[in-house]
Every structure is written in structure tokens, then in C-alpha cells.
Amino acid sequence: PATAPIPVMMLSAKSAEIDKVTGIDLGADDYLAKPYGMMELVSRTRALLRRSTPTAPPTSASAQLTCGTLTLDERAHRVWADGVEVPLTRKEFDVLAMLMEHQNQVLSRAQLLERVWGWEFTDNTRTVDVHIQTLRQKLGEASPEAAALIETIRGVGYTIRG
């Protein structure tokens, strides 16, 4: 628990998409494959540190988000679907929180990449799609209704309907 807020960036020679997705799914906040430029490394490091800087604790009004059968507790970092707790990775939780904070608004892949990962949009990344897919799967195991709340808006992005 004491080291949980410390950001993790993986630097690797493995550049296949599956390696990147696996690294991020295992808890990395960012993944950079060789070869990379020093300026890119510094920029990504700054972005990680900026996102990990402690902020004021949320007020009790903003600690819990609800949407249909979903409840998300930002303070405890826990999610329930139909009263059943759903274990999520940090990035899955962050994606769901972002969608729930912007209920009924469509967020593009680029917006999610920037806000959750701190990455600028690149056309060849499927990171958001993979996380949405696993998020739906995990939520669906607890409540099919909860999984159905996340909608794909073709050619635009994702939304959660409240």
C-alpha cells in the first residue's frame, strides 16, 4: 500500500502490441519500447509524475459514483456491479471512473489515452479497446446489465449510459 501510488514505466526491447498490453495489464502505467528518444522518455516521465502528484482528498459527495447497477468508490478504489465486488486493475478502474465521471458523454480513444495513460493518440494503438473489452468481461461476470452500460460509439469512442 505504501508504494501503490508510485508510477511504473516499463522500458523494454519487446515492441509487439501483446507485450505492451500485457505490461500495462500487469500494472504498469506506461510502456516504452526500444528504440526510443531521450526527449520522449523525459516527456512520458513528466506526464507520469504529473498524474501521480497527490491532490486534495475528494469530498464525500465525489467519493462515490453510480451509474445503473454500478457503484465506484474512488477513495477505496473498489467497484460493485449489482452489489457484487468486481476486482479491476488500476487502468481498468481509471477507465471506468473516467467514463462514470462523464456519464452520457462520448469520450474518444484519444481523450481516454491522454487522460488515463497520458499518451498522445496514435492510430495504431488498441490499448483502450482491449481495456474496454476486459472491463466489460469482468463487469459482465457480476452483472450483464452493468457490462451493457458501456457502449461503443462506432468511429467516435465510448460512453456509459446512466
Side-chain angles (χ1 to χ4, degrees):
T3 61
I6 297 173
V8 174
M9 180 187 307
M10 292 185 76
L11 304 175
S12 175
K14 293 185 175 190
S15 60
E17 181 179 9
I18 190 66
D19 296 319
K20 294 175 185 179
V21 171
T22 301
I24 291 169
D25 282 346
L26 290 173
D29 297 298
D30 198 354
Y31 189 106
L32 193 55
K34 290 181 183 177
Y36 52 84
M38 192 53 65
M39 289 174 51
E40 181 182 11
L41 175 61
V42 170
S43 180
R44 286 178 181 255
T45 302
R46 277 194 211 118
L48 278 175
L49 292 173
R50 186 173 52 247
R51 285 192 314 276
S52 67
T53 301
T55 58
T59 63
S60 59
S62 67
Q64 279 200 344
L65 300 170
T66 58
C67 180
T69 60
L70 280 175
T71 303
L72 182 141
D73 187 330
E74 292 179 302
R75 288 184 188 165
H77 209 276
R78 296 169 74 184
V79 174
W80 296 269
D82 262 345
V84 177
E85 188 168 358
V86 180
L88 299 177
T89 65
R90 180 176 173 183
K91 292 302 180 187
E92 291 165 350
F93 181 89
D94 292 345
V95 168
L96 183 60
M98 184 64 58
L99 290 172
M100 290 179 73
E101 288 169 5
H102 298 88
Q103 286 183 42
N104 301 312
Q105 296 176 25
V106 179
L107 297 176
S108 68
R109 285 177 184 86
Q111 288 172 309
L112 288 167
L113 279 170
E114 175 62 32
R115 293 177 184 176
V116 175
W117 283 270
W119 296 354
E120 289 186 23
F121 181 68
T122 57
D123 290 333
N124 61 358
T125 184
R126 302 292 293 175
T127 301
V128 174
D129 303 328
V130 170
H131 279 76
I132 293 288
Q133 180 182 9
T134 57
L135 189 54
R136 283 182 177 142
Q137 181 182 358
K138 288 179 178 183
L139 293 174
E141 290 171 5
S143 167
E145 291 175 24
L149 292 171
I150 301 173
E151 295 181 22
T152 302
I153 309 301
R154 294 191 75 155
V156 182
Y158 298 96
T159 188
I160 192 163
R161 301 285 183 203

